[in-house]
Amino acid sequence: MFNKTMQGYGEQRSVIRALFDYGTKRKQEIGEENVFDFSIGAPAAPAPPCVGAEIARLMRELPSEKLHGYTPSAGDMGVREAVAKSISAKFGVPMSANLVYMTCGASASLVLTLSAALAPGDEVIVPSPFFPEYGVFVRQAGGVLVPVATDAAFHPDLAAIGRAITPKTRAVLVNSPNNPTGAVYTAAEMRALGDLLREKSGDVPILLLADEPYRELCYGEAPVYPMTVYDDTVVLYSFSKSATLSGERIGYIAVSPRLRGAEALFSAICGAGRYHGYVCAPALFQRVVPALLTAAPDPAFYRKNRDLLLSALTGMGYECCPAEGAFYLFVKALEQDAAAFSERAKAHELLLVPSDSFGAAGYVRISYCVGRSVIEKSLPAFSALMEEYRG
């Protein structure tokens, strides 16, 4: 009677969202302070002060019809010009506003770009572990997701990626800093990936799709900008994480001006926006974006949380990926079945996401973007969970 594919997606919900909803209900039952919800990547750090100040200025200075009215489908041209100028100034790429499309966050950016780039049966390679919704986004575009295992530190295995490339490969999708592992791909790794894709590309380029909502949340050397190491690149960006605006759904697509067929791909992205109804991203927050472009996010909030949690858990005997960026700790489950471990953790009111849906077995993801007190109060529960397994 109804679309069975969509019904299936609705009934087999994202593990992350299902755990988050469980946590919301549990907090109502026993009190928010008694539930240690590490399920979803919803930042607790305060938004930059410029956000409130810019909204107040816009409310004072702009008439209602401009403040809340439609923008062009691809976004306000002044905002797109500001994004292009920022990319050019920061990374030395001669970015054009005509290749910037304002979106409802990085998810919309991915859906539109994949819809624009893929023909039925085209393959998209992704290093594993990866954000679970990548599979949904690729399938909706008629594509096939091809997971490729990473190395022991969860960094790209270039040889494995090379072996996975076939005549059907249309794109490689990377996410650095990475969700769920916190790995940050080095400049040398990204340059080597660019060299590999140049070598493997034919008349039709293999696209590099860079999903970058965590770009500024890095605890060491800043990640290389993908457009500087490979011409046929599309950057998918969101302000949800860096500016703590996850609920505002604002981001953009930036198509490299050096990408072969850049204008045609951008037209296809515009067509995908029309097809999916992803046109005219929220107007108010589009106009806040220029202020955000000059506000340098401070990852110190997340670094302190990481250091506290990493030190405490390793001291208890947990095996943890060190987390070089983003705000996730990838922790070895205390039994082979990560889902079963996650269920046992719930008895201690610990909400940890099992790794199976990320394309990896035997781990859980801990989102440490919560308030510091949540981490501090959770430590006895983590200790009790460890002792339960030891006992």
Side-chain angles (χ1 to χ4, degrees):
M1 181 176 178
F2 303 110
N3 186 307
K4 294 299 183 183
T5 300
M6 297 303 114
Q7 186 178 345
Y9 286 142
E11 292 173 351
Q12 297 178 2
R13 303 188 59 213
S14 157
V15 174
I16 299 169
R17 285 284 175 179
L19 199 57
F20 174 69
D21 290 347
Y22 168 86
T24 300
K25 181 180 179 181
R26 192 69 176 138
K27 290 171 187 177
Q28 293 171 347
E29 293 171 346
I30 66 171
E32 186 168 353
E33 71 281 3
N34 298 313
V35 180
F36 312 118
D37 188 354
F38 298 103
S39 64
I40 201 165
C50 68
V51 173
E54 187 65 4
I55 291 173
R57 185 188 72 80
L58 292 167
M59 296 286 285
R60 288 194 309 269
E61 297 180 7
L62 291 185
S64 180
E65 64 271 17
K66 188 165 185 181
L67 187 67
H68 303 297
Y70 289 126
T71 69
S73 295
D76 179 86
M77 182 51 76
V79 175
R80 292 162 65 194
E81 287 174 347
V83 171
K85 288 179 182 176
S86 175
I87 292 172
S88 298
K90 289 179 181 177
F91 308 114
V93 176
M95 195 64 215
S96 166
N98 293 322
L99 296 174
V100 174
Y101 191 106
M102 303 305 297
T103 64
C104 298
S107 293
S109 297
L110 279 160
V111 168
L112 298 190
T113 303
L114 290 165
S115 297
L118 301 185
D122 281 348
E123 296 174 350
V124 178
I125 292 172
V126 59
S128 177
F130 54 86
F131 180 52
E133 299 304 279
Y134 286 171
V136 179
F137 299 157
V138 170
R139 285 192 294 274
Q140 66 79 33
V144 178
L145 193 73
V146 181
V148 174
T150 47
D151 65 18
F154 300 112
H155 282 242
D157 183 334
L158 275 297
I161 292 174
R163 290 191 297 271
I165 292 174
T166 74
K168 292 185 177 181
T169 302
R170 191 69 180 95
V172 174
L173 172 55
V174 296
N175 171 222
S176 173
N178 181 259
N179 173 12
T181 67
V184 178
Y185 301 167
T186 67
E189 288 167 340
M190 291 298 293
R191 283 193 289 269
L193 178 58
D195 291 342
L196 174 65
L197 298 185
R198 270 187 292 274
E199 175 190 335
K200 296 287 188 176
S201 287
D203 294 335
V204 177
I206 297 174
L207 300 178
L208 177 60
L209 306 181
D211 181 23
E212 298 219 314
Y214 306 98
R215 158 165 284 279
E216 290 82 8
L217 304 182
C218 185
Y219 308 131
E221 185 178 346
V224 68
Y225 197 61
M227 288 185 193
T228 64
V229 297
Y230 185 63
D231 289 348
D232 295 314
T233 291
V234 182
V235 169
L236 315 160
Y237 187 81
S238 169
F239 294 94
S240 294
K241 313 301 184 181
S242 61
T244 319
L245 295 175
S246 54
E248 310 304 345
R249 312 311 299 155
I250 193 71
Y252 61 79
I253 302 167
V255 178
S256 171
R258 302 188 183 106
L259 185 148
R260 285 174 281 172
E263 292 80 7
L265 176 58
F266 190 81
S267 293
I269 289 168
C270 293
R274 180 185 177 192
Y275 180 86
H276 289 286
Y278 278 143
V279 296
C280 181
L284 174 59
F285 272 86
Q286 281 193 53
R287 295 190 171 96
V288 174
V289 163
L292 294 172
L293 295 171
T294 57
D298 184 2
F301 177 93
Y302 305 111
R303 182 198 289 268
K304 290 176 182 177
N305 279 3
R306 180 204 63 172
D307 291 349
L308 171 61
L309 189 60
L310 182 61
S311 174
L313 293 189
T314 54
M316 295 175 195
Y318 289 94
E319 296 180 38
C320 309
C321 184
E324 301 153 335
F327 41 58
Y328 304 108
L329 199 61
F330 211 47
V331 179
K332 190 79 170 173
L334 299 180
E335 61 178 287
Q336 196 168 18
D337 187 338
F341 174 69
S342 177
E343 280 299 311
R344 288 184 70 171
K346 284 164 72 173
H348 298 270
E349 309 301 341
L350 292 166
L351 305 188
L352 318 176
V353 182
S355 63
D356 304 87
S357 63
F358 294 98
Y363 286 81
V364 290
R365 188 195 75 170
I366 300 175
S367 299
Y368 58 81
C369 53
V370 297
R372 189 174 179 87
S373 65
V374 176
I375 296 174
E376 292 171 340
K377 292 177 182 178
S378 75
L379 297 181
F382 277 111
S383 180
L385 180 61
M386 173 61 78
E387 291 307 313
E388 179 182 313
Y389 274 88
R390 285 176 173 163

